[in-house]
Amino acid sequence: MPLSEDILKKYQHAGKIAAEAREKIESLVHEGMPIIDLCEKTEAFIRENGGQPAFPCNVSINEVAAHYTSPPQDEQTIPENSLVKIDIGVHVDGYIADTATTVCFNPEYENLVHTAKYALEKAVEILRPGLSISQFGSTIQKTIKSRGVNPISNLTGHKIGYYMIHAGKSLPNVHRFSMAKIKEGEIYGVEPFVTTADAIGEVTNSVDTHIFRFLRRRSLRDPYAKQLLNYIRKKFRTLPFTERWLQGLLPQDSYDATFSKLLSLKCLMSYPVLVEKSRKAVAQAEHTVLIVKDGCLILT
Ligand code: MN
Ligand code: MN
């Protein structure tokens, strides 16, 4: 079903902000730059341009494939000779655009970056109503393999919904048996992830977690826990957030214990940082697209 004009405008607006943020940040990022500056500049740009971050700006380096964002007071900087993935989410009234790029400071990894972009172009070329998810995955796998490198088999693109970054359907980057088909009016984040020829080509959870999301309400007696959870639920709804966005809400000496309590009560869930299993470098490219009658439109 085609989208209403009003909703389409919101997706287009979110897409435009996300694309501009990506281009701006690509031109700013450099070796030695504090990662927290990169995150905060991206998020500020989104807000100044009439959107809201749909998730914290992800800056994932080398073998880290996804889900790193700076915690408060992060002291990490962009390492020399690194491969830097920047993943940006914007929403306008709950309509989300999701886009990513890889900036390369190491000539050794250039093929990974080009292959991720090339696979994304291929995806955009083939996406249309009626295409099967199986066909999509095998085409992307072949495209990546044809350049002598590997896809990440357990990271996928995803259907996007209202206040939902992962709205059910996945777009695999390898062959997967599936009866599902692409439909007109659907919005997808399309994101091939590419790693080296000698890599396992899978990601695994690390012990670090810097991104969280609201999971469920509970009756809480602790007034600080109640206050913090209410704030999170109203402000971010079902979208991911960072602790950077909670600074100053509670007295500093109560904050850590309160946040840990909400996690252990499963009022919140966390997204662990994802690393490639054999610790090989990973590149990513992502656009958000709208499926139209005879193909797809890039929104980012
Ligand atoms: Mn993304
Ligand atoms: Mn995505």
Side-chain angles (χ1 to χ4, degrees):
M1 205 175 61
L3 294 180
S4 80
E5 192 62 25
D6 192 41
I7 291 176
L8 178 58
K9 278 206 177 116
K10 289 184 176 176
Y11 272 119
Q12 284 171 322
H13 188 195
K16 182 168 182 279
I17 298 167
E20 286 172 1
R22 183 189 64 225
E23 277 154 29
K24 184 192 150 97
I25 229 63
E26 259 177 337
S27 68
L28 285 179
V29 57
H30 57 84
E31 291 162 303
M33 184 178 186
I35 295 175
I36 197 167
D37 287 359
L38 199 53
C39 295
E40 287 181 341
K41 283 194 164 100
T42 307
E43 292 157 9
F45 179 90
I46 293 167
R47 295 188 179 103
E48 283 156 17
N49 285 278
Q52 288 293 326
F55 50 81
C57 175
N58 284 214
V59 179
S60 305
I61 291 165
N62 296 339
E63 73 274 16
V64 175
H67 296 173
Y68 183 88
T69 193
S70 281
Q73 282 95 43
D74 191 11
E75 285 178 358
Q76 292 208 59
T77 56
I78 302 290
E80 280 180 24
N81 300 311
S82 58
L83 192 60
V84 183
K85 293 159 291 295
I86 304 168
D87 197 328
I88 298 168
V90 176
H91 80 90
V92 171
D93 300 333
Y95 299 99
I96 299 164
D98 182 2
T99 187
T101 189
T102 303
V103 180
C104 184
F105 298 108
N106 186 336
E108 227 182 280
Y109 297 140
E110 255 162 32
N111 185 38
L112 295 182
V113 178
H114 292 150
T115 303
K117 288 189 175 150
Y118 177 66
L120 178 57
E121 279 168 26
K122 188 72 187 177
V124 166
E125 199 182 294
I126 63 171
L127 278 168
R128 59 177 161 72
L131 177 72
S132 76
I133 300 287
S134 301
Q135 184 63 54
F136 177 87
S138 40
T139 305
I140 298 308
Q141 181 170 26
K142 252 183 253 164
T143 304
I144 293 170
K145 288 274 195 184
S146 76
R147 297 182 49 120
V149 290
N150 276 321
I152 299 280
S153 61
N154 60 347
L155 282 176
T156 67
H158 47 94
K159 190 168 171 245
I160 289 175
Y162 180 63
Y163 280 105
M164 296 269 280
I165 292 163
H166 287 257
K169 256 191 229 176
S170 294
L171 279 184
N173 296 312
V174 294
H175 177 76
R176 283 269 180 274
F177 179 76
S178 163
M179 297 295 280
K181 286 185 160 50
I182 304 292
K183 293 186 185 135
E184 187 179 353
E186 289 179 329
I187 305 270
Y188 284 96
V190 188
E191 49 186 320
F193 284 84
V194 175
T195 186
T196 58
D198 58 346
I200 293 175
E202 275 176 44
V203 292
T204 187
N205 289 344
S206 81
V207 293
D208 296 333
T209 50
H210 303 298
I211 298 178
F212 307 90
R213 154 168 113 68
F214 172 80
L215 208 53
R216 66 174 67 86
R217 298 174 80 162
R218 263 180 194 274
S219 55
L220 297 162
R221 247 169 296 164
D222 173 354
Y224 282 147
K226 198 170 176 170
Q227 183 193 339
L228 191 59
L229 188 63
N230 271 332
Y231 180 87
I232 288 167
R233 184 174 57 84
K234 288 187 182 141
K235 183 88 179 169
F236 313 122
R237 299 201 196 190
T238 46
L239 295 174
F241 63 87
T242 153
E243 290 183 89
R244 288 185 283 107
W245 299 345
L246 305 175
Q247 297 298 290
L249 285 172
L250 299 183
Q252 197 54 47
D253 55 356
S254 314
Y255 171 81
D256 284 343
T258 307
F259 193 78
S260 303
K261 183 187 269 181
L262 292 178
L263 272 173
S264 63
L265 289 170
K266 302 216 160 40
C267 295
L268 304 178
M269 63 162 279
S270 56
Y271 295 88
V273 170
L274 298 173
V275 294
E276 204 284 321
K277 266 189 183 165
S278 44
R279 304 296 189 266
K280 303 293 182 192
V282 178
Q284 171 202 21
E286 181 177 22
H287 274 311
T288 294
V289 305
L290 164 66
I291 308 299
V292 292
K293 206 165 172 237
D294 51 3
C296 76
L297 268 180
I298 298 177
L299 298 173
T300 48

